[in-house]
Amino acid sequence: FSDKQLRQSFRDIFLGLLSANRLFSDDAEVDPSFIPKGGIGYKKIPVPRRAQALKTYAGRKIVATLSRENTVNPLRKKRIAGSLLRQTVLDALAAHGLEVEIITEAAEHQKLHKSGAYDLSMMSSGVSIDNPFESLRMMFMSDVGARLPDLSGKIGPLIEAAEVSADPAARRRLAEELNGAVFDDAAAVTYAHSGLVLFYKPGLDLSRCSLFLEPIEFRAVNWTPAAR
């Protein structure tokens, strides 16, 4: 995937397959914009249409870190979406004639991500709507974040330019340029966005809560009910 043409071909085939699958597209909008709708720099990017996958690297073997095929999840729709996304990735790779070694163990994922010894990975991350640059710095420029690749070398300078600018219009333009650079580089392929919803009892005193920080996801908490 050091070849930009291959990355762009994979991006187009993957997004095309996903948007054509009613199991996914009926419940979610396929959106290739890295910055989510409503965020600074968001610009509607049409789903690319590509008739044929690039076959230059057919027969090559790649390493992909993916979830297990039958991931247990109490939410049926989320379980279906996870399996569908995994299979769509594999179908897009197969369309290019690529052979895949799939790594499913979470511990191995972490080791490979830290060393960079992988070709493809699926992950989720969060972006602040009001100030995406802090999130983007963590994802693209930090050794402790998602460690997304900046193969074009454009993303880091755009983030730094936006951070020192006090002009909202200039920051918006920089964010739009950054969003376009991420899409064009195709090192990170965005397919959709989601948001978190908070449920709370009417008697809860919200003055003691910070609604500006992302809440801990339930799946990140190990909870074992006490025996009765």
Side-chain angles (χ1 to χ4, degrees), residues 3-210:
D3 186 335
K4 182 177 179 180
Q5 289 186 329
L6 176 61
R7 297 196 305 272
Q8 291 178 331
S9 179
F10 170 81
R11 175 199 66 196
D12 297 351
I13 295 297
F14 168 72
L15 293 174
L17 290 172
L18 196 59
S19 63
N21 193 317
R22 296 286 298 275
L23 283 174
F24 185 86
S25 59
D26 279 359
D27 288 332
E29 178 186 3
V30 178
D31 189 349
S33 171
F34 190 81
I35 295 177
K37 189 179 295 184
I40 298 174
Y42 175 82
K43 189 174 182 180
K44 181 68 175 179
I45 299 176
V47 175
R49 304 296 179 187
R50 182 184 289 261
Q52 191 170 357
L54 187 71
K55 296 284 191 177
T56 307
Y57 298 93
R60 296 281 189 92
K61 188 174 183 178
I62 69 163
V63 175
T65 61
L66 301 173
S67 59
R68 292 182 183 275
E69 187 172 3
N70 296 315
T71 301
V72 176
N73 192 303
L75 300 177
R76 182 174 179 274
K77 278 193 173 181
K78 195 165 189 178
R79 185 169 68 247
I80 292 173
S83 299
L84 189 153
L85 288 168
R86 183 183 191 275
Q87 188 57 51
T88 306
V89 167
L90 295 176
D91 289 345
L93 292 172
H96 292 80
L98 296 170
E99 299 179 7
V100 189
E101 178 186 353
I102 303 174
I103 308 297
T104 60
E105 296 297 331
E108 286 299 312
H109 288 192
Q110 295 175 359
K111 291 178 183 178
L112 292 173
H113 287 173
K114 190 171 183 178
S115 65
Y118 68 97
D119 299 290
L120 182 145
S121 181
M122 286 190 69
M123 64 180 69
S124 60
S125 190
V127 179
S128 169
I129 294 291
D130 298 322
N131 181 17
F133 304 106
E134 182 177 345
S135 304
L136 292 169
R137 171 177 279 278
M138 178 63 71
M139 284 188 271
F140 283 97
M141 303 174 68
S142 171
D143 289 335
V144 297
R147 300 168 65 93
L148 297 181
D150 177 12
L151 301 182
S152 66
K154 297 178 181 178
I155 297 171
L158 287 170
I159 293 173
E160 292 173 340
E163 288 177 334
V164 299
S165 174
D167 181 359
R171 285 168 60 85
R172 182 174 296 278
R173 287 194 299 272
L174 287 166
E176 290 176 354
E177 187 177 349
L178 191 153
N179 201 31
V182 173
F183 176 78
D184 180 68
D185 200 35
V189 177
T190 305
Y191 59 87
H193 305 107
S194 63
L196 297 175
V197 178
L198 298 178
F199 295 91
Y200 58 91
K201 292 183 177 181
L204 181 65
D205 181 6
L206 293 182
S207 66
R208 301 179 63 84
C209 302
S210 173

